[in-house]
Amino acid sequence: MRLALSILMLGAALSLAAMQARAQTPPRAQQDPQTKAAPQPAQTPAAPQQGAAPQAPAEPKPEPKLALDSRALPLGGTLRAPALWQAYKSHFITNEGRVVDTGNNDISHSEGQGYAMLLAVAANDRTMFERLWGWTRANLMVRDDELIAWRWEPRKRPGVADLNNASDGDILVAWALAEAAELWGDLSYRTAARRIAVEVARKVVLFKTKIGAILLPAVSGFHADDRADGPIVNLSYYVFPAFARLPLVAPEVDWVGLTQTGLDLLDMTRTTPQALPPDWMSLKDWKYAPAQGFPPQFSYNAVRVPLYLAWAGIGEREQYAPFMALVVRTRGALSIVDVATGKDIGSFGETGIGAIGALTACAFEGSKAPPQLLASHSDENYYPATLHMLALVAMQMRYPSCLRK
């Protein structure tokens, strides 16, 4: 199956390259197919007049803007792949509603619960949503505030040994609850979503900095007071499609400002036209550098940045260009990249993450998705399988033309 996917990804990449070549070739003059245009006499360039200033070379035409749709679209019912959702549930969600990270010692975490809750709303599966939310409340909402403990381990008692949160998990759960409230008209979901969203704004967002609203990865461990190279941010925690919808429950929070800072941070990492963002960034003295103590890599975290950009329908051509270059270079599979050298240093190993490559190509130039985007891969672990599902939802929700034959 992986060989077939690689072949199809190769075909997709060759198609992308062909489309790029066509985009760079000026179109031929159109003519009536029934009549030939009369031959034109050769034009002799006029001799420049004496004393005339030499003409400056023509300025290159700017690249056209991306045709993106950034409307705040509802999530409910957008997943139109019931067989994929059934397979996902059977592989990764227990009867109690716990999402199992099969590639990480079967732990559970707030991120996984939030992703699955979003997928349940997208699939219009309220029964599973209730199980997921019930398990999350009972097992991860054990802090003394409205935020969510980030990790639960099945072989330890208590299951939560670290009470720190993860801001992306909080945001994902709050977004899922807000969407559920709108889809199913349940006030309790709305109330819970608001409590989490307001607490995120109060405890992990630094709104008044020199470079805008900074989202910290957690309450503890990432402030300037916590680390010599702090504050530290993770750009993949800026869940752009969530920021567009959380005004449903917390309109007083500056989600627009948070989105703009995320885009500005992405621009800061683009030290060359094709430079990719690292998983972890230092903003010491409000200047960008890869964070100390973390590999300076575009890897399992930062690979979500193009997913969230395309899902929200935001961003400019130059912000997508490094990701698109990676799609072409890796034939759609994506790869782990050393951000200092720009060199590929490893593969993700499982094909699900390649769905983000297909989504990126779709948003960037309207490329058709490979058939495997609608196929289930039973041998995949939780994380690549989840990113595959999210990329599919994003495409069905915002780019349906890329799925048409």
Side-chain angles (χ1 to χ4, degrees), residues 75 79 85 88-89 92-94 97-100 108-133 135-136 169 172-173 175-177 180 184 311 382 385-387 389-390 393:
L75 178 67
L79 177 59
W85 174 233
Y88 185 90
K89 289 192 295 183
F92 306 114
I93 307 176
T94 69
R98 179 172 84 87
V99 181
V100 179
S108 297
H109 32 68
S110 56
E111 166 214 282
Q113 297 301 123
Y115 281 148
M117 289 168 66
L118 288 168
L119 291 172
V121 174
N124 197 11
D125 187 343
R126 188 169 183 178
T127 299
M128 181 52 71
F129 183 90
E130 280 284 358
R131 292 179 186 174
L132 291 160
W133 175 224
W135 190 92
T136 303
L172 292 167
V173 171
W175 177 25
L177 287 163
W184 297 312
W311 197 349
Y382 148 80
T386 300
L387 295 184
M389 293 288 289
L390 297 174
V393 169

Side-chain angles (χ1 to χ4, degrees), residues 38-51:
Q40 298 297 315
Q43 299 293 321
T44 302
Q49 296 180 0
Q50 284 192 343

Side-chain angles (χ1 to χ4, degrees), residues 187-361:
L187 182 60
S188 70
Y189 296 154
R190 177 183 174 84
T191 301
R194 174 172 174 76
R195 287 173 177 168
I196 298 169
V198 170
E199 199 81 325
V200 165
R202 190 168 73 89
K203 289 197 169 179
V204 293
V205 180
L206 308 178
F207 281 105
K208 296 180 180 180
T209 77
K210 291 182 179 179
I211 58 175
I214 301 302
L215 175 67
L216 296 172
V219 170
S220 302
F222 299 93
H223 287 266
D225 294 340
D226 298 325
R227 292 174 52 105
D229 62 339
I232 302 297
V233 299
N234 185 317
L235 194 51
S236 75
Y237 283 29
Y238 282 70
V239 188
F240 296 123
F243 298 162
R245 296 287 286 168
L246 285 173
L248 290 170
V249 296
E252 71 274 28
V253 176
D254 185 12
W255 303 109
V256 172
L258 200 56
T259 296
Q260 185 57 56
T261 304
L263 294 173
D264 293 343
L265 291 174
L266 180 58
D267 287 339
M268 288 172 66
T269 69
R270 208 170 60 256
T271 53
T272 66
Q274 292 192 356
L276 292 161
D279 288 346
W280 298 92
M281 301 169 54
S282 164
L283 293 177
K284 181 178 175 61
D285 299 327
W286 308 116
K287 297 177 182 178
Y288 156 68
Q292 298 172 11
F294 296 95
Q297 296 174 357
F298 170 87
S299 187
Y300 287 92
N301 281 272
V303 75
R304 296 179 293 183
V305 175
L307 166 66
Y308 293 151
L309 283 173
W311 197 349
I314 61 172
E316 301 295 339
R317 177 173 291 274
E318 61 269 20
Q319 292 166 329
Y320 282 83
F323 305 116
M324 188 63 204
L326 182 63
V327 170
V328 173
R329 187 169 74 245
T330 61
R331 300 187 174 106
L334 306 182
S335 62
I336 299 170
V337 178
D338 183 323
V339 299
T341 65
K343 295 186 180 299
D344 298 345
I345 56 174
S347 68
F348 287 109
E350 293 177 274
T351 56
I353 291 176
I356 297 176
L359 175 64
T360 301

